[in-house]
Amino acid sequence: MRKSVLLCGVAALWLNLADAKPLMLDTHLDTPVHFGREGWDFTKRHSFADDFSQVDVPRMDEGGLDGGFFVIYTPSGPLNAKGYAAARDWALMRAVHIREQVAAHPDKLALAFKAEDAGKIVAEGKKAIFQSMENSYPIGTDLSLLATFQHLGVRMAGPAHFKTNQLADSATDKPRWHGFSPLGKKWVAEMNRLGMLIDGSHSSDEVFDQMLALSKTPIILSHSGCRAVYDHPRNLDDGRIAKLAAAGGVIQINSVYLMKRESSADMEALEDRMEVIDQMSAADQARLNAEHKALLAEDHRPRANFDRFMENVLHAIKIAGVDHVGIGADWDGGGGVIGMEDVADLGKVTAALKAAGYSDQDIEKIWSGNLLRVLKAAEDYSRSAAMK
Ligand SMILES: [Zn+2]
């Protein structure tokens, strides 16, 4: 009798483990672009076709996504005091929008500040909302603003975006500094001191090399891909992926820059307008949406599909090893492929990894374990540096 109870218990535990979903975090969710929109509710189900969005609580539930890094994205602008001040205000407002969203739904969302918060928040049945900065342009020449953003909860940042700025060269712009500027090198030290993860996505190769050399802790690429799969400056060559892994870092695979795709001028102009959609009236949002639908209907450029995305994931694992790859698909920032149009489809990634022979343990590392390891390393360094 006791033996069969014990066996039942073991079977139940085994079934439990077999059914257990990995803790799933994506490192590049541009969803805060929608948070300030009039009439837009993160806890309600939306669709990309209807309002451009790819992430909300119901679709996260469907795809199994438990949270991730919600991005304070700031477009590049003039490198002068006026430009810096405007960017600072923009970025602070985005941080406020993230807080307002979490505060409005305390039963469904919670801000996460440390690696260990993720599991605790998810165990309470909520989504873990970490914050990151895409582009450190908003700090201008005042490094103390990094601490301001850190106090607001930001735990990851990259120095530049599409344009080279006061801190570093961009992957998609002409080099000005051949790596970091003198201020950018101090930015690295301050990021380390504050326990913030250094994000190499959008940085030039020279900046990436200097990050590896200068950072006291492993770095991350929050949404990048493999140049061996598609040769683009936003992707990383195999040699650099191997060096990243050897230094303990992690590359989170993007669903953008998977193949050559000529962008249409009309779509680019529309995407620029979408960046300020949270400042539009409901009527203007609807007009923009109608234009978007019309453009999509006549857009016959080839698009990457889910297999191409997985090709990137599997190539990165081949080069870096399973301890150094994760997922950061640039949702609400241009991400999505045929067969994986929004986060509701993320279960397909887990299924494809299983089909490729990866264990549940490996899959958990890819979905969150590797990210949380590097985040904890940044926290630990900050604590030990403060004690010195
Ligand atoms: Zn980006």
Side-chain angles (χ1 to χ4, degrees):
M1 176 72 179
R2 278 181 64 190
K3 199 171 172 186
S4 73
V5 168
L6 182 68
L7 278 175
C8 277
V10 170
L13 180 68
W14 182 83
L15 275 175
N16 232 334
L17 285 175
D19 283 351
K21 183 188 83 61
L23 175 64
M24 290 168 65
L25 304 171
D26 180 291
T27 43
H28 201 81
L29 302 164
D30 271 313
T31 315
V33 70
H34 301 298
F35 283 173
R37 283 174 71 172
E38 190 185 324
W40 197 87
D41 185 344
F42 184 50
T43 64
K44 299 262 158 56
R45 194 183 179 102
H46 304 257
S47 77
F48 186 69
D50 286 338
D51 67 3
F52 316 114
S53 75
Q54 296 174 303
V55 183
D56 51 43
V57 172
R59 282 182 288 175
M60 289 172 80
D61 283 339
E62 193 176 323
L65 189 62
D66 295 304
F69 277 83
F70 286 73
V71 182
I72 298 167
Y73 159 67
T74 311
S76 304
L79 303 180
N80 57 36
K82 204 173 160 200
Y84 296 146
R88 175 202 61 205
D89 294 352
W90 163 288
L92 287 169
M93 196 47 76
R94 278 282 153 89
V96 169
H97 287 160
I98 295 172
R99 287 190 161 255
E100 281 178 341
Q101 196 60 237
V102 175
H105 305 288
D107 53 328
K108 293 193 167 74
L109 313 172
L111 288 172
F113 303 102
K114 288 195 235 164
E116 64 179 33
D117 292 346
K120 290 180 193 165
I121 290 169
V122 173
E124 291 170 4
K126 300 177 189 177
K127 304 298 182 194
I129 313 292
F130 287 97
Q131 297 169 74
S132 62
M133 280 176 87
E134 180 168 40
N135 207 356
S136 292
Y137 165 61
I139 69 163
T141 53
D142 178 4
L143 278 182
S144 79
L145 275 174
L146 261 188
T148 303
F149 282 102
Q150 197 265 2
H151 288 149
L152 288 171
V154 174
R155 292 295 180 268
M156 183 200 297
H161 188 245
F162 282 143
K163 297 251 183 269
T164 290
N165 66 16
Q166 78 276 25
L167 301 167
D169 293 339
S170 163
T172 48
D173 196 5
K174 284 190 267 309
R176 173 178 172 192
W177 310 103
H178 289 282
F180 280 108
S181 70
L183 182 68
K185 287 179 180 160
K186 289 183 188 158
W187 175 92
V188 172
E190 185 64 356
M191 288 286 290
N192 283 159
R193 189 185 74 80
L194 293 167
M196 294 165 77
L197 262 180
I198 292 176
D199 181 0
S201 287
H202 286 286
S203 286
S204 72
D205 287 348
E206 288 174 307
V207 175
F208 171 86
D209 294 342
Q210 291 176 17
M211 276 177 181
L212 274 193
L214 293 171
S215 178
K216 305 287 187 198
T217 66
I219 68 166
I220 191 166
L221 285 102
S222 68
H223 59 307
S224 288
C226 306
R227 218 172 274 179
V229 176
Y230 174 46
D231 189 1
H232 189 281
R234 275 284 283 108
N235 294 331
L236 222 61
D237 61 67
D238 285 356
R240 286 191 169 84
I241 293 175
K243 278 186 193 157
L244 173 77
V250 55
I251 178 168
Q252 306 278 115
I253 301 301
N254 200 350
S255 64
V256 191
Y257 307 112
L258 301 178
M259 61 184 283
K260 190 168 169 58
R261 187 166 155 78
E262 303 291 346
S263 44
S264 86
D266 286 350
M267 189 61 97
E268 272 191 5
L270 187 132
E271 281 166 0
D272 284 349
R273 284 161 62 205
M274 276 168 59
E275 286 181 357
V276 290
I277 198 167
D278 59 348
Q279 290 158 30
M280 290 179 194
S281 67
D284 284 345
Q285 286 185 36
R287 251 191 302 278
L288 188 65
N289 198 39
E291 283 178 47
H292 184 232
K293 272 189 174 169
L295 271 183
L296 279 181
E298 64 188 38
D299 183 3
H300 302 302
R301 294 171 295 156
R303 274 185 81 206
N305 61 17
F306 179 70
D307 289 346
R308 186 75 172 164
F309 172 75
M310 284 310 301
E311 198 184 325
N312 241 283
V313 173
L314 296 175
H315 181 82
I317 296 173
K318 189 174 99 188
I319 302 299
V322 81
D323 291 319
H324 303 283
V325 178
I327 308 292
D330 207 353
W331 297 115
D332 289 325
V337 289
I338 297 169
M340 186 176 75
E341 301 285 357
D342 60 22
V343 296
D345 287 330
L346 285 177
K348 290 182 182 177
V349 178
T350 307
L353 288 168
K354 269 191 188 165
Y358 291 98
S359 68
D360 289 347
Q361 204 184 11
D362 290 339
I363 293 170
E364 175 102 23
K365 286 180 189 174
I366 292 163
W367 265 122
S368 60
N370 297 332
L371 160 69
L372 296 176
R373 181 192 72 233
V374 291
L375 183 58
K376 182 159 189 320
E379 291 165 10
D380 289 349
Y381 174 81
S382 174
R383 207 173 312 111
S384 70
M387 286 192 295
K388 273 180 195 159

